[in-house]
Amino acid sequence: MSERYFGQSVIEWIPHGTQRILDIGCSSGYDTARLAGKAQEVYGVDTDAASIKKATQLHNNIVFSVADAGLLPFPDHYFDAILMSEVLEHVRDEHAALKEAHRVLRSGGTLVLTVPHKGLFSFLDPANQKYYLRQSLPGLYRWFISFKTKRDPTYTDTLAQGFHRHYSRSDLVALLDCSQWIGQYLIVRTRYRSLVLGPLVGIIKAVLGLWLGKTLALRIIRPLCFFAARESRISFGTLSNQIELLITKY
């Protein structure tokens, strides 16, 4: 997975003194390392072998492994807390991922789930903008990607195309209920955050990066990034771009 933003609320939701924490979709382990003070044992999994190799080199106090969210290499009821931050929208099988989280989480354990929300500006998701461009103007899209990467874009499925699902709270409840969680969980807290600056910055960075290069583009949009980071801490209710759930398993 790509690097994620962990809102401070997500970190605070993990109880101190937790024995084992699993970070699903850990990427290179930057955010996973921030959890080390919360638990005696911290584990991270990701499907990208290069990211796991980098994470292992950077953080030798954490156990990292290459694994799919839908097939976790851990015993039943092994973890006291699980993080799935910006992961569910990427996986091939949402039900399989949630079933595995249920299987490896002990009774009384904590699941923190964060995903893109079906908010007012969810249509601006940068990954989905590329998807829509690919569907409506495939010739222009192929030129855009080949110009940027110097290679011809070849994709075989929706996931490779980078399409991001967006969810409402009721969508997440329905997924949990159909994935072995029904009658065995309580949503303790729901938090919405961010509105429009995050995806807008992503689109601007992609366009500027194409013409000016990534380094110069990042310099230009730095002021926008500053405001986007602060907006991401604000709740805009159901208009928001992100949703976070704190879930206790019975």
Side-chain angles (χ1 to χ4, degrees):
M1 301 298 173
S2 60
E3 292 293 352
R4 305 154 297 163
Y5 170 82
F6 268 14
Q8 187 61 29
S9 61
V10 172
I11 300 298
E12 292 172 348
W13 284 352
I14 302 297
H16 282 286
T18 301
Q19 183 176 356
R20 293 191 187 100
I21 295 177
L22 172 64
D23 182 12
I24 299 176
C26 65
S27 188
S28 59
Y30 173 78
D31 288 312
T32 318
R34 296 170 61 191
L35 301 169
K38 291 278 188 175
Q40 299 174 32
E41 301 174 30
V42 179
Y43 296 74
V45 298
D46 199 283
T47 56
D48 184 65
S51 293
I52 290 297
K53 181 179 180 180
K54 181 179 178 181
T56 302
Q57 293 170 343
L58 293 174
H59 313 289
N60 57 16
N61 60 329
I62 299 173
V63 180
F64 292 102
S65 55
V66 178
D68 190 278
L71 190 62
L72 297 173
F74 303 107
D76 296 352
H77 319 302
Y78 192 66
F79 293 100
D80 303 283
I82 294 176
L83 295 176
M84 294 184 68
S85 182
E86 310 307 302
V87 172
L88 198 64
E89 67 270 22
H90 298 280
V91 300
R92 293 182 181 275
D93 189 334
E94 300 155 293
H95 297 289
L98 289 172
K99 285 178 181 178
E100 279 292 89
H102 180 274
R103 180 184 67 80
V104 301
L105 183 65
R106 69 166 176 83
S107 297
T110 297
L111 170 65
V112 175
L113 181 64
T114 82
V115 293
H117 182 250
K118 288 180 176 176
L120 181 63
F121 295 102
S122 60
F123 65 92
L124 287 177
D125 184 313
N128 293 349
Q129 286 295 317
K130 289 192 292 184
Y131 176 81
Y132 300 140
L133 178 61
R134 189 164 43 248
Q135 297 299 310
S136 57
L137 297 169
L140 178 61
Y141 173 78
R142 292 177 70 86
W143 173 85
F144 179 88
I145 294 298
S146 60
F147 183 89
K148 183 177 180 181
T149 65
K150 309 305 179 185
R151 62 179 175 82
D152 186 55
T154 54
Y155 296 96
T156 57
D157 56 39
T158 300
L159 286 172
Q161 296 166 355
F163 187 86
H164 288 171
R165 307 178 188 97
H166 287 244
Y167 304 86
S168 65
R169 187 181 188 277
S170 59
D171 290 335
L172 294 173
V173 169
L175 279 171
L176 289 164
D177 287 347
C178 293
S179 304
Q180 296 185 345
W181 287 80
I182 188 167
Q184 300 181 51
Y185 72 97
L186 175 66
I187 299 178
V188 180
R189 291 189 66 181
T190 302
R191 176 171 291 185
Y192 299 95
R193 62 177 178 84
S194 188
L195 182 65
V196 65
L197 289 183
L200 192 59
V201 166
I203 292 173
I204 294 172
K205 182 173 73 173
V207 173
L208 289 180
L210 174 65
W211 300 106
L212 304 176
K214 183 178 180 180
T215 302
L216 182 56
L218 287 174
R219 289 178 183 174
I220 292 173
I221 66 171
R222 188 170 295 161
L224 275 177
C225 291
F226 174 85
F227 289 108
R230 277 142 187 81
E231 186 202 63
S232 70
R233 302 171 185 171
I234 301 172
S235 172
F236 296 88
T238 55
L239 301 179
S240 299
N241 187 55
Q242 296 289 321
I243 181 172
E244 302 172 342
L245 298 184
L246 172 62
I247 301 167
T248 298
K249 176 185 173 183
Y250 292 151

